[in-house]
Amino acid sequence: MRILVTGASGLLGLNLALEASEEHTVFGLVNHQPVRSEAFTVMQGDLLVPGTVERILDQTQPEWVIHCAAMAVVDACESNPLQAQKLNSEIPGKLAAIVGRGGARLLHVSTDAVFDGQRGDYSEQDTPNPLSTYARTKLEGEVNVLKANSAAIVARVNLYGWSLLGKRSLGEFFYHNLSAGKRVNGFTDVFFCPLLANDLAQVFLRMLTLNLSGLYHVVSRECLSKYEFGVRIARKFGLDEGLIAPTLVETAGLKAVRSPNLTLNTHKLSQALGAEPPGIDPGIDKFHQQYLEKYPQHLSEMAAGE
Ligand SMILES: NC(=O)c1ccc[n+]([C@@H]2O[C@H](COP(=O)([O-])OP(=O)(O)OC[C@H]3O[C@@H](n4cnc5c(N)ncnc54)[C@H](OP(=O)(O)O)[C@@H]3O)[C@@H](O)[C@H]2O)c1
């Protein structure tokens, strides 16, 4: 298949472009952050510049577009709501309409954060209630995509993994700080179900081959607190878990409101795949194995111009 991955310099997009290029012809769109890759063709373009979506689709002629590009830093969205609105709400709808007209398919990436986290175990049927600008704009993006293109897949995700500059994921945060002997906070009252980016990428590729459409929760089959996640990383990497201070999220002084219980139900996904998505410990084992195999260094060498 010919696959266009937007956000190919980002945490998800880069790992996904690398995973997909094992078996497919992949084009990866980046904007400000240059990337050097022998595995996939790197394209440059700002999705907010009129004509970019059309130009990139015309040049790449994809059968599938996996849209990972977003304003994905929660507090940055709070500081710049207009930009968040354009990138997270408007661009996905526009992309969905143009992709649909050209006969290609779209997998649009959304977030678990569309829920207010008061209950947890949310299914695709449950009503979202976004608490932050990031969450609100991402929810609008979902609605715009499915309105413009009912054949699209919308995947609500949560993930961690190794990233281009080593600073993008919670897994990297715990690894880097603990290995430098620094104390960090671990939220005991925020629950999530993160998948390793590479495992998430493999689930996405399976969803494409199965020709799915509609809304799916694509997260780990298991969930835990952010504190517990840090502890498991520490144990796997042989680092001092005592450096992680159990903390309540409201005491952390974060700019945007966070939803406490973002555990999602993956029943619909498991039915469609015929198998459950990966659990937490196998993901952390693989994250550690990638570290041993110098995957983080491989990614950082792809950061052209750094
Ligand atoms: N990370 C998480 O924990 C998490 C959790 C839930 C959901 N998600 C969702 O997963 C998706 C990927 O997130 P991520 O963490 O991988 O994001 P990320 O690391 O912050 O990367 C964002 C990507 O978007 C690109 N981008 C931003 N503005 C652009 C523009 N105007 N034109 C073209 N590209 C642009 C960036 O390109 P440049 O850097 O080259 O400018 C970068 O490649 C997003 O939809 C996010 O909402 C992420």
Side-chain angles (χ1 to χ4, degrees), residues 44-78:
Q44 196 281 329
D46 183 344
L47 290 169
L48 295 177
V49 170
T52 303
V53 172
E54 293 83 347
R55 171 176 67 82
I56 297 294
L57 290 173
D58 193 46
Q59 287 173 350
T60 57
Q61 298 290 322
E63 292 158 84
W64 274 95
V65 177
I66 307 183
H67 183 48
C68 305
M71 193 165 179
V73 177
V74 177
D75 288 344
C77 293
E78 222 55 50

Side-chain angles (χ1 to χ4, degrees), residues 7-12 30-33 45-48 68-70 72 87 109-111 134 138 157 159 168:
S9 45
L11 170 64
L12 177 55
V30 306
N31 185 25
H32 290 117
Q33 172 60 53
D46 183 344
L47 290 169
L48 295 177
C68 305
L87 206 53
V109 181
S110 189
T111 174
Y134 169 69
K138 291 293 291 184
V157 307
L159 68 142
R168 192 58 194 99

Side-chain angles (χ1 to χ4, degrees), residues 145-269:
V145 164
L146 290 174
K147 209 190 305 166
N149 184 339
S150 58
I153 301 172
V154 171
R156 292 182 180 145
V157 307
N158 197 298
L159 68 142
Y160 66 99
W162 301 107
S163 63
L164 194 69
L165 304 180
K167 291 185 265 194
R168 192 58 194 99
S169 84
L170 190 62
E172 293 173 312
F173 168 83
F174 281 118
Y175 165 72
H176 287 303
N177 282 295
L178 299 180
S179 48
K182 290 192 188 152
R183 289 188 68 78
V184 290
N185 291 334
F187 300 137
T188 50
D189 55 347
V190 177
F191 295 86
F192 69 151
C193 328
L195 273 178
L196 182 69
N198 308 78
D199 287 340
L200 177 56
Q202 289 300 337
V203 174
F204 278 179
L205 293 171
R206 178 108 182 92
M207 292 173 84
L208 307 194
T209 32
L210 289 169
N211 259 316
L212 302 184
S213 58
L215 180 61
Y216 283 88
H217 288 175
V218 187
V219 293
S220 171
R221 65 169 183 266
E222 293 168 339
C223 308
L224 75 180
S225 73
K226 294 204 168 177
Y227 170 75
E228 176 65 22
F229 179 71
V231 168
R232 292 203 201 179
I233 297 255
R235 287 184 190 159
K236 188 72 214 175
F237 283 80
L239 299 167
D240 181 4
E241 67 189 70
L243 290 169
I244 309 173
T247 311
L248 296 176
V249 68
E250 71 261 26
T251 62
L254 300 174
K255 192 174 174 79
V257 182
R258 300 309 202 267
S259 305
N261 188 340
L262 286 180
T263 58
L264 304 188
N265 182 306
T266 53
H267 183 70
K268 183 181 177 190
L269 178 72

Side-chain angles (χ1 to χ4, degrees), residues 48 92-93 125 148 177 181 234 239 281 284 292:
L48 295 177
Q125 241 94 74
N177 282 295
L239 299 167
D281 284 333
I284 291 178
L292 296 178

